[in-house]
Amino acid sequence: MINTAMRNHYAPLQLPAPGPRTPDPDYPEVDVALVMESTYPYLKGGVSAVVHDIIVENPSISFGIIHISWDSKQELKDLYGMPENVKWVKVIYLSLEEHKEEFAQECNPKNLKMNRRQRKKLVARLMSAFDALIHGDVNPLWSFYDEGINPRTRTYSLFALTGTREFMEAVGNWGFLAQVPFGELFWEIRNFVSIVYALLHERLPYARVYHAHTTGYASLLGAAGARDYGTSFLLTEHNLYVRDTINTKLERNMAKPVTTDYAFLKEPRDKPELGPVTLEETAWCVWFLEMGRFCYPSADMVTYLYPKAIEEARGIGAPIDQYNEGEEDRAVVLPNGMLIESVYPAYVGRQTARARILAEGRGHMWRFVFIARVVPIKGLTDLVKSLALLRDAGLDNFHLDVLGPKDHLPEYYELCVRTIEELNMGDFITFHGTVKVREMLDRFDVLLMPSYNEGQPIVALEAMAASIPLVSTDVGGMSQLIDDVLVTSDGSEIGNCGILTIPGDIEGFTQALRTMMEEPSIYERYCVTAYNRVVKFFQLRLVMDRYDQIYRKLGKIPQRVTEQIEE
């Protein structure tokens, strides 16, 4: 598998006859089932905020929530308050400990009721199905789901097959797995199989559209549900999940590409002290990449936050060329949006601040803000170093406020504190923890985002709607938000609203800040364009209307009835 050349042509998806709809009093039928992986409604964050907006802004659409969590030890507290159009929340646990007894019974080879010759034949078919996936045909693996996993249609247990000697012998001779000692291989395979069991062993509630918000486990679940009932599967990439998950696993720079030829596994490590990529790391990389390659072409539509993401997705197996054949694109750009009225008080307050900055010029006391979780991917230690360079250059008329939770990775927060102390930056930086950001926006002049990875953060849109410019790294969809020239429906152009830098370029970030501080007229222009970009292209109403259209098209949901008032 590792040496297979990257391919991007996928065979047309073959669908079985839809299954019956049996009423379930606990999980009534819904228009859309939102499939979430460890986020909404139990974790705050950008993806959760977008999903909550989708629900609230589409009150005529009924929703269910399928939440994927690790185990029942995790606290599941509703942080949003479920709107009335959410009919149910179903939690699915991935941990083997949650399914240990039934999984062990399911994997008993005796359940197959097959002789050795029959088992070898079935295993050979399964190995061929994996090879077919690599060459762009997902149908053989879906056939195995239909006949060996789907609780409605299966005629044997595919999980029981994975417990047989025939299966282990075949896997043990397959690609890089041949290097894994047999005893270790059995338990590694069992780990992966248990996750598939946790996701797919029970039938999902009925939905006209299954909308997954990641390309991993949520997509696998959503695709299976849609296949079972003959409904639709919609995938939204808030960022490139496969790439980000693999880069996190390998502790690589999050902007580095991941491709289906697996060349990235042979590259030097970003951290040489980690040594060569281990067999376990390789197995997880293959797992996530091939899961993406399986789920992408199984979607009726994939939405991306920014144009560059579509091309990036091609490298990890999305059949982009095939999506764009036909009457309507199956790969579409659907950005995040925001309700500009929600930050209008901050916008009003900012008018006075902008006038003061123009009047004070270079002598203005700048209020910078960093709004994010205090975790490595957000680049706060880089920012502290950039600000220290700014101070050392004589521009010490600034203060940084850090807004966001500090407890997601305590050791990184402690590193940030040590860095601040070592550079004597304590008087320049204040941590506030989790706060109500919108109520504080009018206090700040520039949003700083030194991240190594972003999709299209809502906080950036909120700042822009308050007429706050940005200095950011050029990652994910930030160029679309900040730098790309946007053309309105009447042909007019809207320019940039900030400065982009290279991730990890501490000196470059410092220079961008100097430009903001030393050129008030440029700063004012950025303020104006920041607001205009949101108004013309990223308003919540525009985005939510598009989601409504997609749901109704994919789910064959009747159009909204518009009341006409007689004059």
Side-chain angles (χ1 to χ4, degrees):
M1 180 183 295
I2 298 302
N3 297 319
T4 301
M6 181 177 67
R7 299 172 185 268
N8 202 39
H9 179 75
Y10 279 75
L13 191 63
Q14 299 170 6
L15 298 174
R21 292 152 57 177
T22 304
D24 187 334
D26 295 324
Y27 300 103
E29 295 183 3
V30 293
D31 295 322
V32 179
L34 297 166
V35 192
M36 311 303 302
E37 188 176 324
S38 300
T39 50
Y40 189 82
Y42 305 122
L43 180 69
K44 289 279 188 175
V47 173
S48 293
V50 171
V51 168
H52 190 65
D53 282 339
I54 290 173
I55 294 170
V56 171
E57 298 299 323
N58 289 284
S60 63
I61 299 288
S62 60
F63 291 93
I65 310 293
I66 302 172
H67 179 91
I68 302 172
S69 185
W70 179 245
D71 60 30
S72 56
K73 297 177 183 177
Q74 297 180 320
E75 182 180 9
L76 298 179
K77 180 181 178 182
D78 179 5
L79 300 179
Y80 287 86
M82 287 296 95
E84 291 184 359
N85 55 330
V86 174
K87 303 305 178 184
W88 44 261
V89 178
K90 179 178 177 64
V91 179
I92 292 177
Y93 296 112
L94 290 179
S95 171
L96 177 59
E97 292 301 316
E98 300 290 338
H99 315 277
K100 197 169 187 177
E101 293 184 7
E102 59 266 38
F103 178 66
Q105 183 177 358
E106 184 76 22
C107 287
N108 189 334
K110 294 180 180 179
N111 292 333
L112 277 176
K113 299 180 180 179
M114 295 180 183
N115 59 36
R116 177 172 173 78
R117 182 184 61 80
Q118 292 170 318
R119 294 194 298 268
K120 289 188 68 173
K121 184 177 181 180
L122 192 58
V123 167
R125 274 186 56 213
L126 184 57
M127 296 299 105
S128 296
F130 287 131
D131 287 335
L133 173 65
I134 295 170
H135 291 83
D137 188 357
V138 300
N139 290 301
L141 272 183
W142 274 122
S143 294
F144 270 99
Y145 166 76
D146 294 335
E147 66 188 58
I149 296 178
N150 187 333
R152 178 180 64 88
T153 60
R154 74 179 195 174
T155 56
Y156 62 87
S157 172
L158 187 61
F159 301 109
L161 182 68
T162 64
T164 64
R165 175 172 292 276
E166 291 77 16
F167 175 80
M168 294 305 304
E169 288 174 347
V171 170
N173 291 315
W174 193 42
F176 75 96
L177 293 176
Q179 304 172 51
V180 183
F182 188 84
E184 295 179 19
L185 179 63
F186 176 84
W187 293 111
E188 286 293 334
I189 294 297
R190 183 57 59 95
N191 286 337
F192 291 119
V193 173
S194 71
I195 291 174
V196 176
Y197 176 82
L199 286 169
L200 303 180
H201 76 281
E202 61 177 317
R203 200 173 186 196
L204 291 178
Y206 176 88
R208 293 171 180 81
V209 179
Y210 292 86
H211 185 184
H213 286 263
T214 54
T215 312
Y217 302 130
S219 277
L220 186 58
L221 199 60
R227 183 178 184 84
D228 189 19
Y229 291 110
T231 57
S232 295
F233 168 40
L234 170 65
L235 168 60
T236 288
E237 283 274 41
H238 293 271
N239 214 328
L240 295 181
Y241 175 94
V242 171
R243 179 199 64 193
D244 295 348
T245 303
I246 289 175
N247 281 341
T248 299
K249 183 69 179 177
L250 297 181
E251 298 188 46
R252 298 191 339 147
N253 184 314
M254 296 301 289
K256 283 191 172 182
V258 168
T259 54
T260 51
D261 60 2
Y262 289 95
F264 62 91
L265 290 175
K266 302 175 184 177
E267 296 175 358
R269 300 286 287 252
D270 287 3
K271 298 180 179 179
E273 65 272 18
L274 295 176
V277 176
T278 66
L279 289 174
E280 181 181 6
E281 289 173 326
T282 298
W284 280 105
C285 291
V286 171
W287 171 253
F288 282 109
L289 209 157
E290 296 305 326
M291 186 163 27
R293 181 151 38 185
F294 182 59
C295 291
Y296 270 124
S298 301
D300 294 277
M301 181 181 288
V302 183
T303 69
Y304 299 89
L305 291 181
Y306 48 94
K308 188 168 62 175
I310 294 182
E311 192 59 35
E312 292 173 344
R314 187 196 306 272
I316 53 177
I320 301 302
D321 296 329
Q322 211 165 333
Y323 279 159
N324 291 332
E325 296 172 359
E327 297 179 359
E328 184 175 357
D329 288 353
R330 290 174 59 198
V332 300
V333 174
L334 184 56
N336 285 333
M338 71 151 302
L339 191 66
I340 58 174
E341 293 85 351
S342 66
V343 296
Y344 184 72
Y347 175 78
V348 172
R350 286 275 303 140
Q351 307 316 299
T352 302
R354 287 163 52 186
R356 186 171 63 250
I357 291 170
L358 284 173
E360 295 174 348
R362 297 186 178 186
H364 175 68
M365 182 65 186
W366 291 87
R367 294 297 299 269
F368 299 143
V369 64
F370 171 97
I371 309 174
R373 295 172 295 131
V374 181
V375 293
I377 199 173
K378 299 299 182 180
L380 182 55
T381 53
D382 288 354
L383 178 55
V384 173
K385 295 172 185 177
S386 292
L387 294 176
L389 291 178
L390 196 64
R391 177 205 58 195
D392 294 344
L395 279 78
D396 59 358
N397 52 321
F398 68 84
H399 192 87
L400 174 70
D401 291 280
V402 178
L403 313 184
K406 301 177 291 185
D407 56 353
H408 284 202
L409 200 63
E411 56 268 34
Y412 181 73
Y413 168 67
E414 293 170 2
L415 173 62
C416 292
V417 171
R418 288 199 305 273
T419 304
I420 291 170
E421 292 174 349
E422 291 167 0
L423 297 175
N424 296 316
M425 291 295 292
D427 292 339
F428 293 86
I429 300 173
T430 301
F431 287 91
H432 295 268
T434 302
V435 297
K436 295 182 178 179
V437 172
R438 292 176 180 177
E439 296 178 4
M440 299 178 65
L441 273 180
D442 62 340
R443 307 179 191 180
F444 307 118
D445 301 320
V446 187
L447 174 62
L448 309 185
M449 301 187 68
S451 303
Y452 284 84
N453 189 38
E454 292 287 352
Q456 198 180 67
I458 295 296
V459 67
L461 291 171
E462 290 177 338
M464 291 163 62
S467 74
I468 298 175
L470 293 84
V471 174
S472 170
T473 47
D474 187 5
V475 294
M478 297 309 297
S479 62
Q480 183 195 25
L481 288 183
I482 297 173
D483 203 52
D484 295 349
V485 174
L486 302 180
V487 181
T488 65
S489 57
D490 62 4
S492 59
E493 296 183 349
I494 301 180
N496 63 342
C497 66
I499 303 173
L500 293 177
T501 67
I502 299 171
D505 183 1
I506 293 169
E507 293 183 357
F509 207 93
T510 302
Q511 184 55 49
L513 293 175
R514 292 192 64 160
T515 299
M516 286 278 189
M517 298 171 71
E518 295 178 342
E519 300 291 342
S521 60
I522 293 177
Y523 173 81
E524 173 61 18
R525 174 168 58 82
Y526 288 158
C527 292
V528 173
T529 54
Y531 178 77
N532 287 339
R533 288 172 81 92
V534 176
V535 169
K536 296 293 185 180
F537 292 95
F538 301 103
Q539 284 210 56
L540 187 65
R541 173 182 54 80
L542 302 175
V543 176
M544 293 304 130
D545 281 350
R546 182 66 178 127
Y547 270 118
D548 180 84
Q549 295 167 12
I550 290 173
Y551 286 152
R552 294 182 188 279
K553 180 179 177 62
L554 293 181
K556 299 179 175 60
I557 303 168
Q559 294 297 316
R560 288 174 293 185
V561 177
T562 303
E563 294 183 0
Q564 297 183 355
I565 302 176
E566 296 183 2
E567 299 183 4

